[in-house]
Amino acid sequence: MDFRFFCDILERMYTQGLLDSKSDSSVGIEPEERLRRFQARIDAEEKIEPTDWMPDAYRRTLIRMISQHAHSEVVGMLPEGNWITRAPSLRRKAALLAKVQDEGGHGLYLYAAAETLGISREEMIEQLLAGRAKYSSIFNYPTLSWADIGAIGWLVDGAAIMNQIPLCRCSYGPYARAMIRICKEESFHQRQGYEIMLTLSRGTAQQKAMAQDALDRWWWPSLMMFGPSDKESQHSDNSLRWKIKRFSNDELRQKFVDATVPQGHHLGLAFPDPDLAYDAQPGHWRFGAINWGEFRDVLTGNGPCNRQRLQQRRAADEQGAWVREAAIAYGEKHSRRSPP
Amino acid sequence: MTEKHMPLWEVFIRSRNGLAHKHAGSVHAADATMALQAARDVYTRRGEGLSLWVVPSDAITASDPAEKDMMFEPTASKIYRHPTFYKVPDDVGNM
């Protein structure tokens, strides 16, 4: 076996059991020196792995980010799952099913990445169900028509990709590796959404109006997905210094607008922003003021679907409890009969 | 939550014939059969593999990354293990 390949496997083989080990090379070193060495590793673009020493704030930031991200994938299955039975053709239905299944898979990769930091999946899910954990606010908006499935794929997944591509280079190894996998799979999501929008835009007047209505409702919430502006954001500074994030919220938002506006014009649709204008000198699309009051409202639980989404997650958890219990009981009985 | 935790399994995938199984991630499942099914659904939705292994995570013994310098030191100092350490005249050709 190739030696580097072997090292790669060893390095990737961090399991939860290892978290209990007492491996800490920096025992006995002054806290400032430990922090300095940690930052030096980050600055040298080294990946931080689960058993490496890390500041508590780094660990907490990552647990918060990765678990929110995982919850977003899982809650994100709800608005789209709403349309599986009503997709307009078998082709659309098969694609939407595959996409929703992907979102579930992404949630699982991310829960696994967060678990390497010493929190269990059960704990994270409990935080979500108790309303203590956040998920992306975008999923608190309803999917009122089939065109919304197109708009979600094109805009929401488009914004997610813009956020996620730099996360593939995140300083925390397990998160970066999960993101690489997720990004590979997301590009189908965005393309299937854009194809839906394109078909509607080239269809009857009524179909084009549906597409326009979906763009009108999803555009601003999509811009809010990048989070508060840099002036307001509480988390950006540390996250950038630790190379958890590579770009600020406003930088990513601008990239998204620049990439998306020409795509919308290609559809022949109008963006619901009278201030949207091309600024040729730096080559950016300038957009109007975001309604941050709405953002905070949805974030604090008063969006159109916050209560419904959590109720659905709680019901799924409660109704699935007997399956999990039966599976564990079966597994235990099985292992008693045939000791390893 | 009073529920028992689902055991954790590490997933390895052989992507092509002739290649080794490579670590892909982990899944929670109550037993090996269910772990294999979960691994199939979570890690091979796009033809990523020809063969899957699942191993109980707590069955893996790993080297301690904190001791990697000592553990792997011999590979750094024994340069005579590499072919380039030995001089062969050019006119002998490739060896």
Side-chain angles (χ1 to χ4, degrees), chain A residues 5 8 10 12-16 18 23 25 51 101-102 105 108-109 112 115 120-122 126 181 185 188 324 327-328 330-332, chain B residues 1 3-6 8 10 12 20-23 26 28 30-31 34 42-46 48 57 60 62-66 72 75:
Chain A
F5 185 48
D8 188 41
L10 270 185
R12 279 156 176 260
M13 268 194 355
Y14 288 116
T15 66
Q16 221 177 11
L18 267 175
S23 61
S25 58
T51 50
Q101 193 191 13
D102 272 354
L108 292 177
Y109 308 154
E115 279 185 299
S120 73
R121 191 170 75 183
E122 285 84 352
E126 198 195 345
R181 233 191 137 78
E185 299 182 350
F188 128 63
R324 295 192 297 277
I328 288 176
Y330 178 83
E332 283 174 350
Chain B
M1 205 174 278
E3 266 178 58
K4 286 181 185 170
H5 286 197
M6 286 268 176
L8 189 66
E10 298 303 313
F12 298 81
H21 286 74
K22 191 172 179 185
H23 188 234
S26 48
H28 285 280
D31 69 11
M34 286 184 266
V42 177
Y43 291 103
T44 65
R45 288 192 303 278
R46 286 174 176 75
E48 286 90 341
S57 299
I60 291 174
S63 69
D64 186 345
F72 301 107
T75 59

Side-chain angles (χ1 to χ4, degrees), chain A residues 15-155:
Chain A
T15 66
Q16 221 177 11
L18 267 175
L19 284 172
D20 305 328
S21 77
K22 298 280 181 286
S23 61
D24 188 347
S25 58
S26 41
V27 167
I29 300 174
E30 291 298 308
E32 302 82 45
E33 173 61 11
R34 238 195 262 193
L35 210 57
R36 198 197 57 75
R37 286 190 196 178
F38 177 79
Q39 190 62 47
R41 290 189 64 196
I42 301 264
D43 294 342
E45 297 289 330
E46 272 186 48
K47 289 278 182 257
I48 306 300
E49 294 294 343
T51 50
D52 297 344
W53 184 85
M54 60 185 88
D56 281 343
Y58 180 82
R59 186 184 299 275
R60 279 197 309 273
T61 301
L62 278 165
I63 289 179
R64 179 180 53 79
M65 264 184 79
I66 303 174
S67 65
Q68 278 180 15
H69 193 165
H71 297 326
S72 302
E73 300 282 354
V74 172
V75 176
M77 295 166 82
L78 296 171
E80 291 183 291
N82 183 32
W83 280 91
I84 290 174
T85 56
R86 291 175 287 158
S89 69
L90 191 56
R91 181 177 185 272
R92 296 288 188 217
K93 185 173 183 160
L96 185 57
L97 259 175
K99 179 177 189 292
V100 173
Q101 193 191 13
D102 272 354
E103 309 297 3
H106 296 176
L108 292 177
Y109 308 154
L110 290 164
Y111 282 127
E115 279 185 299
T116 63
L117 291 158
I119 185 170
S120 73
R121 191 170 75 183
E122 285 84 352
E123 257 178 286
M124 290 184 270
I125 290 172
E126 198 195 345
Q127 288 173 354
L128 171 69
L129 299 182
R132 292 199 308 274
K134 288 188 188 130
Y135 54 87
S136 183
S137 279
I138 194 88
F139 300 118
N140 290 317
Y141 290 87
T143 40
L144 303 176
S145 83
W146 170 252
D148 289 12
I149 298 304
I152 287 183
W154 172 39
L155 300 174

Side-chain angles (χ1 to χ4, degrees), chain B residues 10-77:
Chain B
E10 298 303 313
V11 179
F12 298 81
I13 303 175
R14 183 201 293 283
S15 57
R16 277 193 294 124
N17 228 348
L19 292 184
H21 286 74
K22 191 172 179 185
H23 188 234
S26 48
V27 291
H28 285 280
D31 69 11
T33 311
M34 286 184 266
L36 214 45
Q37 284 166 356
R40 194 264 320 260
D41 291 345
V42 177
Y43 291 103
T44 65
R45 288 192 303 278
R46 286 174 176 75
E48 286 90 341
L50 305 170
S51 162
L52 269 180
W53 288 349
V54 289
V55 181
S57 299
D58 56 14
I60 291 174
T61 308
S63 69
D64 186 345
E67 289 173 7
K68 67 177 189 303
D69 293 344
M70 189 175 63
M71 183 84 162
F72 301 107
E73 188 276 334
T75 59
S77 59

